[in-house]
Amino acid sequence: DGGEVWALAIDAEQALLEYLDMFYKLGPAARALRRFGAIDFATTIAPGIRDVLLTGKTCEAVRRRAGSGHQGHGHDRVFDYDAVVMDAPPTGRITRFLNVNSEVSGLARVGPIRNQADAVMRVLTSAQTAVHFVTLLEEMPVQETLDGIAELRAAGLPVGGVVVNQARPVVLPEDRLKKAAQPG
């Protein structure tokens, strides 16, 4: 219907600086941390922090309301975006990636980090969220997809649909397919 598509590339370092400024009002001090390499150190020493920042930034886009001062479309909509799509890590890492905020929430008992982690988990586990899988019609990718779906369900995270990539048209006539499916 002539709608617009917006894209956002999230830089972990910039997201961490924004996070520190938003919750701890560090402002210029955060820029000093960057100069001293503290940001790289923090994201290297605690790799999960990158996942927290990426999911947090995505969830902020989901919750962003029209008129909040951020660029978006639709002045008459409650939310800035109709849908937010995030390209996540490979299937084998997806559950840990999405569940990292739950782990952080368990570590931080109170304060802004706990509040942020809880807010992200509310979005990720809500009915408006779905994790869709993309796979190839090959044994290993299909098995990884089945394993990923089982892991997400066990973690209480919402599963969406499965997209089959690089599907090829059937080249055998129907009668030959049926014959090939018969044993012996």
Side-chain angles (χ1 to χ4, degrees):
D1 68 351
E4 299 176 52
V5 175
W6 297 78
L8 172 66
I10 300 172
D11 173 71
E13 181 176 294
Q14 187 59 39
L16 181 55
L17 291 173
E18 287 176 21
Y19 177 86
L20 292 172
D21 191 41
M22 187 184 311
F23 290 105
Y24 296 102
K25 308 295 181 225
L26 289 184
R31 286 187 289 281
L33 288 174
R34 173 189 264 179
R35 276 198 306 277
F36 293 122
I39 305 298
D40 284 338
F41 176 75
T43 55
T44 302
I45 204 80
I49 195 74
R50 284 186 188 272
D51 294 347
V52 168
L53 293 167
L54 293 173
T55 54
K57 195 78 172 159
T58 303
C59 290
E60 184 271 328
V62 168
R63 294 189 314 258
R64 189 179 299 168
R65 295 190 177 272
S68 63
H70 293 87
Q71 188 173 5
H73 72 288
H75 303 292
D76 58 342
R77 290 187 167 91
V78 176
F79 292 101
D80 264 6
Y81 305 109
D82 297 322
V84 175
V85 177
M86 176 175 61
D87 185 13
T91 305
R93 286 191 53 229
I94 189 65
T95 302
R96 181 162 172 74
F97 172 74
L98 292 176
N99 227 15
V100 72
N101 289 279
S102 179
E103 293 172 19
V104 168
S105 181
L107 293 173
R109 299 283 178 230
V110 293
I113 293 175
R114 171 65 185 256
N115 294 342
Q116 166 81 359
D118 286 348
V120 169
M121 288 312 295
R122 277 194 301 276
V123 170
L124 291 178
T125 58
S126 75
Q128 72 186 104
T129 299
V131 180
H132 302 289
F133 287 83
V134 178
T135 188
L136 299 173
L137 283 179
E138 297 171 7
E139 187 176 353
M140 188 180 296
V142 167
Q143 188 58 55
E144 287 174 353
T145 299
L146 294 172
D147 293 345
I149 290 170
E151 284 181 26
L152 282 181
R153 287 190 174 141
L157 293 165
V159 177
V162 176
V163 176
V164 178
N165 201 359
Q166 298 180 9
R168 294 171 184 84
V170 177
V171 293
L172 290 176
E174 182 82 22
D175 61 326
R176 302 265 316 264
L177 278 175
K178 286 180 182 176
K179 187 174 182 178
Q182 293 173 355

